[in-house]
Amino acid sequence: MTAGRSPRPPWLLTVLLPLLCAVGCGSPAPHQRVVSVWAMGREGAVIAQLLPEFTKLHPDIEVRIQQLPWTAAHQKLLTAFAGEATPDLCQLGNTWIPEFVALKALEPLDRSLARSTAVQASDYFPGIWDTNIIGGTLYGVPWYIDTRLLFYRRDLLAQAGFAEPPRTWAEWSRMLAAIKALVGPERYGVLLPLNEFDTLLVLSIQQPEPLLRADGRYGNFRSAGFHRALGFYREIFQRQWAPPVDSTQISNVWNELGRGYFSFYISGPWNIGEFTRRLPPQQQDTWMTAPMPGPDGPGASIAGGASLVIFRRSRHKAEAWLLLEFLSSPQTQKRFYQLTGDLPPRRSTWRAPELSGNLYARAFREQLERVKPQPKVPEWERIVTDMRLMAERVVHGDLSVEEGARDLDREVDAVLQKRRWLLDRGRTP
Amino acid sequence: MSVSGARVLLHALLLGAAAITLFPLLWMLSVSFMAGGEASAFPPPLLPAHGTLANYRQLFGQQNIGRYLTNSLSLAAMTTLLSLLLNSLAGYAFAKLHFRAREPLLRVLLAALVIPSQVAMLPLFLMMKWLGLVNTYAAVVVPAMAGIFGVFLVRQYALTIPDELLEAARIDGASELRIFTSIVLPALRPILVTLGVFTFLGSWNDFMWPLIVLTDQGLYTLPIALATLSREHVQDNELMMAGAVLTVLPVLALFLSLQRYYIRGILMGSVKG
Amino acid sequence: MRVGYAGWAFAAPALLIITVFFFVPVLSALIVSLTDFDLYALADIRNLRFVGLDNYRQLLHAPQFWRAVANTGYFVAVGVPLSLAASLASALLVNSRLAYFSAFFRTAFFAPVVTTLVAVAVVWRYLLHTRYGLINYALAHVGIHPIDWLGDPHWALPAIILFAVWKNFGYNMVIFMAALHSIPVDLYEAARLDGASRWQELGRITLPMLRPTLLLVSILTVAGYFQLFAEPYVMTQGGPLQSTVSVLYFMYEEGFKWWNLGSASAVAFLLFLMILAVTALQVRLTRDAQAR
C-alpha cells in the first residue's frame, strides 16, 4: 500500500494510545503475587468469606475471585481456555476434568501432593478421589462431594398416607400417585426441571449396563437398562406427577416446595443450606432428605462433586497450591460446610459434630455409600446435554422411548467419532 | 365518516398504540422502585406500594454495576471516536479524492454489505486469540473502528461538498490534511453526529461479540452483566428491572436529545441500495 | 500525484481494519468450514483434519439443524409481515393530516428501537410470566386462559415474534413516513376529485407509490430477522424443546459452547446463502409483479 509514502497523520498515534492501554489493562501485571480464582454459583459467593483467614496467613498474596453462574460456567471456561485467559485456581465439576485434561489445560498435581502435608489422599473418600485421576495422573483435589437425592415434604407425604420415604421405584410411584390425588390438578408430586439432566442420569446410572461401551468409543443407550430408566422418567410426566417445566419457569424452588407446588425435589447438598435459610422457621420440620429409590431397592446416585484444579498456564502455581491447601484443610472445610451445606470429601471433616449431628446430611452419608462415577470422556458434557434434549422431546410426546434411545445412541456415536479416530491412532484424547 | 369522527378514531388508535409501545418501559421503571418480591404477586401491581431505591443501592453496592456502566460508557465512547475518525477519512476519500482502484474498491465494499457479520465471528475469535487480545477491550474496539456502513454514510454526505471549495484551498497551497481538518470536517459535522449516535448506540447495545470475547467479569459491559445477572437472579424481578433501567436510560436519553440526527441516518442508510 | 496519495492514505486505515477484521475472517471461515476444527485441534493443531464438504453434508442430515432452520423460517415468515404491517399502519396514522402531536407519537413508537435488546428482553420475560405476568393478567380480562408463553413450545416463538415486532416496528415506520412525504399531494387531490374513498386512495395511490420502499424495507428486515439470536439467548436459552433455537443460536452453541468451529463456520455460510437466496427471491417476485 502506498500509505507509507504519504503524510501520515501524527495524531492517529495519539488516538491509538488509549487502545494500547486497554490491551495492557486487560490482564493483571505479572510481578504481583495475585491468585485469580473462579468459582461457580453459591460457592463463588461464599469463598470470599473464607479468605480473611488466608490473608492472615499469607498477607502478601492477593486473591481475586470471579463468580460464574452455573449455567454459563462450562462454556465460560472453554472460552477462557481458547482465549488463554484461564484463572490460576478454579472450581471444576469432576465430570469436566477429562475434557480439560484432553485440552492439556490442567496442571498435574502429583508432585505438589507428594510434598504436601495438608492434603492427604488417604483421608479422602476413594470414589471421589478417583474421579480426579485421569490416566494415572492426579489433576484435581476434591473440594466437596455432590450427589443427587430426594428432598421431600414430610407432612404432605404423611397426609397421603406414607410414614417413610420410598426405597424402590414402585413405592415412589405409589406415593406420587397418592400425592397427586391429594393435591389436585394445579399441584404436583415432584419437580424434575426439563433443563436439567440430573434426574434421568441418576435413573440411568442405577442400571447395570454402562452408559458408554468399548472404552468410551460408542454410546450404550440402546441397552435395556436405559430404556427402563427413560420409560420411568417419561411415566412420571405422563401421569402428571411432575409438571413439564424448566427451572426458569419455577423462579423460586424453595418457596414453591414450601407452598406444596410439589412434594419431592431431586437435588444436591447445597440445597440443605438454601432450604434451611429460605423456608420460614415454622416450616423447618416439614421437609427432609432421603436417599434415592432404585429399581428394586435403595438406588445408586452419581458420584459428583467439584474439585479444585490449577491451570497449566497459571503463572502463580505455588500461590494457587497454597490457596488450594488452605481451602482443603479440615477447619476451612468445616466452615465452608457451615456456609454452604456443601459436603466435605474428607473423612476427618465428617467427624465434626456440626456434620455428624445434621439430620439432613444423614441421607447424603447413606447415599455416598452407593455412588457411581460417570464415564470419563471429554465429550461427556455434550453427551448429557444431548440426553437432556432427547428426554425433553420424549416427555412432550414427540418421540417414543425406543426412538429417543435410538436417536441418542446415534448422536452420541457421532459425537465420539473424533475420539475413536484419536484412539485408533494411539493418541490420548 | 365525518372529519371529527375520523379524528377521534385516529387519536384513539394512536393513543392505544403508544400505550402498547411505552407500557413495557414504564412498567420496568415502576417495578424497579418496588420492594423485593412485590411484583411477583397476583394480580400484578402496577405501582410500587412504597417506592424504594433499595434495588439501585444493591446494584451499585453488591453487584458492582457502576463498574459495568463505566465499561460500557468508555467502550462505546472509544469506539465512537475512533470509528468517526477512520470512517470520515475514508468516506471523504471515496467521495472526493481520486485514487487508483477507487471505483472497484467501492463496488467490492458495497457487495460485502450483504455478508452477515457473524460469518466472520468464529475466525475473528481465533485471530484475537492469536494476537493475544481475547479478554481485552481492544478485541471489542479494534474491529469496530471502521465499518462499510459508516464509510458509505459519510461518502454520500461528502459528495455534496462543492469541489470548488477544495480546489480553492489547494490553489492556496493547503495540505490535504489541512483541507480535511479545516474544510471537510466542519462540512461533515451533521453526518458525523448522525454516525456518532449510530455507532454509540450500536456499541452500547452490542451483545454477541462482547459476550464471546470478554471473559473477565471486570470487563463486562452492561448488557452482558445484565444477561448474566438475570440467569443467576431469575427470582429477583425488581432488581433486574432496576438493572434494565440503568442499561436503557442512557441510550434513550441520547436518542431523545439527538433524535433528528439519528433518523436522518436511518433514511440515508435505507436509500443506499 | 498528490491527491492520489492522499486518497490512499485517507482510505487506508479504514480499509486496513475492514480487510483484516472482516474480509480475512470471512475467507478464513470458508476454509475452517472445510475442516473439523474442534477442541482437540485447539489443544493440538495436529489433530486438525481437512474434511471437504463433510460439515455441510452432516448439517444437512442433522435434524437439529433443520429444526433451527424451520424456527428461523417461521420467525421470518410471520415476523417480517407483521412487523412491516405495524410499521406501515403506524406510519399512516402518524402521517395523517388529521393527527395532532405527531412528533410525540413518532418518538413513542420509535423508543423501543433504541433500547438495549438484552434489557428489554429481560423486561418482557417478566411480562410474559405464566402466573405473575401482566400479559396473561390482561388476557384473563377478556376471558383467555393463562398461556405458558415461554414454556410451551407452541407459544415460545410467537411470544418472541411479538417482542421483536414491538422492538423493531418503529425503525421501518420512520422510513415509510419519509416515503409517504415524497408522494405528490396532487395525486390524492386528483383521486378525490374522481370521488375515490380513503381505502381506494390507499390501494390505488399510496401502496403503489410505496412499492420501491416496501421492497427495500422488506429486504433489510428479512436479512435482520434471519439473524435472530439475543432474544432466545436471554428469554428462553433456545428452549422449550429447542423451539426457539435459531440458526444463529445454533451456530453460537456449536461454535462457542462446544467449540466445533468447523461445523459452526459451515452453519454461518449456510445462513449467508439462505439470506442471499431469499433476497434474490424477493427482488425477483417484485420485478414479476411490476412487469404485470
Side-chain angles (χ1 to χ4, degrees):
Chain A
M1 249 175 244
T2 50
R5 271 195 281 157
S6 56
R8 186 187 305 140
W11 28 269
L12 201 69
L13 274 178
T14 340
V15 182
L16 284 172
L17 271 180
L19 264 182
L20 294 174
C21 165
V23 176
C25 303
S27 47
H31 57 270
Q32 277 169 288
R33 302 247 288 171
V34 177
V35 183
S36 58
V37 183
W38 286 6
M40 288 83 183
R42 174 115 185 94
E43 287 78 35
V46 159
I47 197 170
Q49 299 177 45
L50 300 172
L51 281 180
E53 266 321 293
F54 181 73
T55 315
K56 243 183 265 167
L57 291 169
H58 305 279
D60 54 330
I61 300 179
E62 185 192 336
V63 180
R64 289 195 192 149
I65 303 161
Q66 176 157 335
Q67 189 184 356
L68 309 181
W70 268 111
T71 49
H74 183 258
Q75 188 181 345
K76 212 75 212 177
L77 279 163
L78 284 180
T79 314
F81 165 76
E84 296 173 7
T86 44
D88 300 310
L89 184 68
C90 187
Q91 168 187 3
L92 201 64
N94 60 12
T95 54
W96 298 352
I97 291 178
E99 190 172 358
F100 285 87
V101 170
L103 291 173
K104 303 185 174 61
L106 301 184
E107 179 72 10
L109 297 178
D110 295 293
R111 286 169 65 194
S112 304
L113 178 76
R115 282 197 301 266
S116 173
T117 48
V119 179
Q120 292 294 335
S122 56
D123 194 27
Y124 286 78
F125 292 114
I128 296 297
W129 186 264
D130 177 67
T131 58
N132 293 274
I133 296 174
I134 311 290
T137 307
L138 180 76
Y139 287 98
V141 173
W143 192 21
Y144 61 82
I145 293 183
D146 191 4
T147 185
R148 293 289 174 276
L149 48 58
L150 295 174
F151 287 74
Y152 70 101
R153 282 282 299 268
R154 260 202 309 206
D155 51 341
L156 287 173
L157 198 62
Q159 271 181 47
F162 299 92
E164 294 291 322
R167 274 162 316 202
T168 64
W169 286 6
E171 273 179 39
W172 195 27
S173 301
R174 281 199 297 280
M175 291 179 192
L176 289 172
I179 288 170
K180 183 68 191 174
L182 183 75
V183 296
E186 298 294 318
R187 295 176 179 195
Y188 298 89
V190 57
L191 177 69
L192 309 174
L194 287 173
N195 60 340
E196 293 172 5
F197 53 73
D198 311 36
T199 302
L200 180 57
L201 184 59
V202 169
L203 297 180
S204 333
I205 221 161
Q206 293 180 339
Q207 308 299 329
E209 295 95 335
L211 293 170
L212 300 181
R213 61 191 168 84
D215 191 20
R217 281 178 166 84
Y218 296 94
N220 195 27
F221 295 96
R222 275 179 236 218
S223 66
F226 186 76
H227 273 95
R228 205 156 18 148
L230 185 59
F232 181 50
Y233 186 73
R234 189 190 56 165
E235 187 189 354
I236 293 177
F237 288 96
Q238 223 169 24
R239 297 187 186 268
Q240 299 194 348
W241 297 337
V245 297
D246 62 40
S247 62
T248 57
Q249 291 155 277
I250 304 291
S251 52
N252 193 320
V253 286
W254 311 284
N255 283 352
E256 297 292 1
L257 185 81
R259 287 177 197 164
Y261 182 58
F262 46 84
S263 299
F264 284 100
Y265 181 44
I266 295 178
S267 189
W270 73 91
N271 259 328
I272 294 180
E274 296 287 334
F275 278 116
T276 313
R277 191 168 30 253
R278 294 189 186 243
L279 286 183
Q282 66 272 18
Q283 262 192 324
Q284 284 301 335
D285 59 350
T286 62
W287 67 279
M288 194 29 86
T289 52
M292 278 306 291
D296 340 275
S301 191
I302 45 180
S307 300
L308 294 167
V309 300
I310 296 176
F311 275 95
R312 188 172 284 220
R313 291 189 59 84
S314 163
R315 280 172 300 189
H316 307 279
K317 290 183 185 121
E319 292 84 352
W321 178 260
L322 283 177
L323 183 56
L324 186 153
E325 281 188 332
F326 168 77
L327 290 172
S328 303
S329 77
Q331 292 89 323
T332 317
Q333 291 208 333
K334 205 167 72 185
R335 177 119 171 75
F336 183 62
Y337 161 73
Q338 285 166 337
L339 289 167
T340 56
D342 283 342
L343 301 177
R346 300 182 71 147
R347 295 199 181 95
S348 48
T349 321
W350 272 90
R351 285 195 286 271
E354 290 86 349
L355 205 58
S356 50
N358 187 326
L359 282 176
Y360 302 119
R362 274 183 196 161
F364 279 96
R365 206 169 39 196
E366 192 187 332
Q367 186 70 66
L368 285 170
E369 311 273 331
R370 290 188 302 274
V371 288
K372 281 192 188 175
Q374 299 171 51
K376 287 184 192 176
V377 298
E379 291 85 356
W380 188 243
E381 180 72 9
R382 168 119 210 203
I383 291 173
V384 284
T385 305
D386 281 348
M387 180 180 84
R388 177 184 79 67
L389 293 174
M390 178 277 299
E392 201 181 359
R393 297 185 63 201
V394 169
V395 166
H396 276 268
D398 292 3
L399 294 177
S400 70
V401 169
E402 286 71 26
E403 288 166 340
R406 194 195 55 211
D407 285 9
L408 179 63
D409 219 38
R410 203 166 21 206
E411 277 165 37
V412 170
D413 284 354
V415 167
L416 291 169
Q417 190 263 343
K418 184 102 175 213
R419 177 183 162 83
R420 291 195 294 272
W421 182 76
L422 289 169
L423 283 175
D424 292 346
R425 260 149 208 78
R427 299 189 202 168
T428 42
Chain B
M1 205 189 315
S2 71
V3 170
S4 63
R7 186 164 270 165
V8 169
L9 179 67
L10 174 74
H11 286 92
L13 285 172
L14 279 171
L15 282 172
I20 291 174
T21 46
L22 292 184
F23 179 78
L25 300 176
L26 296 173
W27 182 78
M28 159 184 85
L29 193 65
S30 168
V31 173
S32 76
F33 295 114
M34 288 186 192
E38 194 179 336
S40 294
F42 199 86
L46 287 180
L47 290 173
H50 309 279
T52 166
L53 288 174
N55 299 314
Y56 292 94
R57 266 198 296 272
Q58 197 192 336
L59 281 177
F60 280 100
Q62 288 151 40
Q63 304 294 350
N64 226 350
I65 203 127
R67 177 76 200 255
Y68 308 132
L69 201 65
T70 325
N71 290 348
S72 271
L73 267 177
S74 46
L75 262 183
M78 204 143 64
T79 308
T80 308
L81 278 179
L82 287 168
S83 76
L84 277 184
L85 178 75
L86 263 57
N87 286 332
S88 60
L89 278 169
Y92 163 66
F94 274 112
K96 289 290 170 185
L97 301 173
H98 296 276
F99 55 91
R100 215 179 320 145
R102 188 180 85 166
E103 298 312 310
L105 269 176
L106 212 53
R107 276 196 296 275
V108 169
L109 289 182
L110 199 61
L113 268 175
V114 296
I115 306 175
S117 61
Q118 291 86 2
V119 174
M121 217 171 247
L122 299 145
L124 195 57
F125 182 89
L126 294 177
M127 207 153 123
M128 290 298 169
K129 168 178 151 65
W130 182 65
L131 293 171
L133 294 184
V134 171
N135 208 23
T136 66
Y137 285 156
V140 181
V141 175
V142 174
M145 279 195 323
I148 301 179
F149 174 77
V151 172
F152 271 94
L153 201 66
V154 175
R155 175 182 173 268
Q156 294 299 98
Y157 199 86
L159 285 173
T160 62
I161 301 175
D163 283 323
E164 300 79 45
L165 211 62
L166 307 173
E167 281 313 317
R170 275 185 197 119
I171 289 166
D172 288 347
S175 72
E176 286 301 322
L177 195 60
R178 168 94 204 177
I179 295 174
F180 179 73
T181 48
S182 58
I183 299 176
V184 177
L185 274 187
L188 289 180
R189 212 190 70 95
I191 199 64
L192 292 187
V193 178
T194 301
L195 182 58
V197 179
F198 252 90
T199 315
F200 191 92
L201 289 183
S203 166
W204 183 280
N205 292 341
D206 194 14
F207 182 62
M208 195 166 176
W209 180 243
L211 174 77
I212 290 165
V213 89
L214 298 178
T215 46
D216 192 341
Q217 206 165 352
L219 300 180
Y220 279 2
T221 61
L222 265 178
I224 313 292
L226 191 67
T228 312
L229 269 181
S230 81
R231 285 189 168 193
E232 269 174 274
H233 294 257
V234 185
Q235 70 274 27
D236 296 330
N237 191 340
E238 299 77 14
L239 189 71
M240 287 302 101
M241 289 307 111
V245 168
L246 289 174
T247 313
V248 165
L249 218 52
V251 278
L252 214 53
L254 182 73
F255 162 70
L256 287 178
S257 52
L258 296 171
Q259 188 173 169
R260 200 157 49 92
Y261 295 96
Y262 188 86
I263 285 176
R264 193 211 348 250
I266 297 181
L267 297 178
M268 285 189 66
S270 70
V271 295
K272 69 193 171 200
Chain C
M1 224 190 84
R2 203 177 61 123
V3 178
Y5 288 134
W8 262 111
F10 279 23
L15 287 178
L16 187 72
I17 294 283
I18 294 172
T19 308
V20 173
F21 295 106
F22 188 69
F23 285 112
V24 171
V26 166
L27 289 178
S28 343
L30 194 58
I31 298 167
V32 172
S33 79
L34 304 176
T35 70
D36 71 343
F37 204 116
D38 60 2
L39 271 178
Y40 292 118
L42 212 54
D44 185 346
I45 198 69
R46 284 173 306 169
N47 291 338
L48 184 72
R49 290 180 294 175
F50 180 80
V51 294
L53 292 174
D54 272 7
N55 285 324
Y56 293 93
R57 207 171 299 134
Q58 269 162 24
L59 282 172
L60 295 178
H61 286 106
Q64 292 179 354
F65 175 71
W66 283 109
R67 211 171 307 145
V69 172
N71 291 339
T72 311
Y74 179 29
F75 181 73
V76 171
V78 178
V80 172
L82 264 183
S83 180
L84 291 187
S87 306
L88 187 57
S90 54
L92 287 169
L93 289 177
V94 176
N95 236 30
S96 162
R97 271 161 288 128
L98 302 176
Y100 297 122
F101 311 116
S102 48
F104 163 78
F105 286 114
R106 188 186 68 175
T107 307
F109 295 163
F110 197 81
V113 174
V114 291
T115 57
T116 311
L117 202 147
V118 173
V120 287
V122 169
V123 173
W124 272 71
R125 209 175 61 190
Y126 290 109
L127 286 174
L128 290 165
H129 194 279
T130 317
R131 279 185 291 167
Y132 308 129
L134 272 158
I135 291 180
N136 274 348
Y137 180 64
L139 289 178
H141 284 286
V142 289
I144 297 178
H145 286 293
I147 296 173
D148 188 4
W149 289 102
L150 298 177
D152 183 332
H154 299 294
W155 283 109
L157 205 52
I160 287 182
I161 290 175
L162 276 185
F163 167 69
V165 170
W166 171 84
K167 171 93 174 70
N168 297 323
F169 82 96
Y171 192 91
N172 290 331
M173 176 192 73
V174 170
I175 299 175
F176 281 132
M177 281 172 68
L180 286 172
H181 272 297
S182 65
I183 299 177
V185 185
D186 37 336
L187 281 179
Y188 291 103
E189 276 160 12
R192 225 159 293 152
L193 285 179
D194 292 346
S197 74
R198 273 172 204 285
W199 288 112
Q200 283 169 326
E201 271 180 32
L202 185 69
R204 284 194 207 148
I205 302 170
T206 313
L207 287 181
M209 292 298 284
L210 281 182
R211 185 168 287 152
T213 315
L214 257 173
L215 172 65
L216 180 82
V217 159
S218 62
I219 287 176
L220 293 178
T221 312
V222 163
Y225 273 41
F226 260 110
Q227 296 172 35
L228 174 69
F229 171 70
E231 292 90 340
Y233 183 89
V234 176
M235 295 170 84
T236 56
Q237 295 168 36
L241 269 181
Q242 305 292 83
S243 63
T244 55
V245 171
S246 63
V247 175
L248 209 50
Y249 192 94
F250 185 83
M251 182 204 95
Y252 175 82
E253 294 226 308
E254 198 63 18
F256 293 106
K257 188 168 181 191
W258 306 120
W259 291 92
N260 291 323
L261 294 184
S263 138
S265 297
V267 175
F269 270 97
L270 289 174
L271 176 68
F272 176 36
L273 289 181
M274 276 184 262
I275 298 178
L276 264 191
V278 173
T279 309
L281 189 73
Q282 280 172 288
V283 173
R284 181 74 168 275
L285 286 178
T286 325
R287 276 207 199 122
D288 287 356
Q290 268 163 344
R292 245 182 275 125

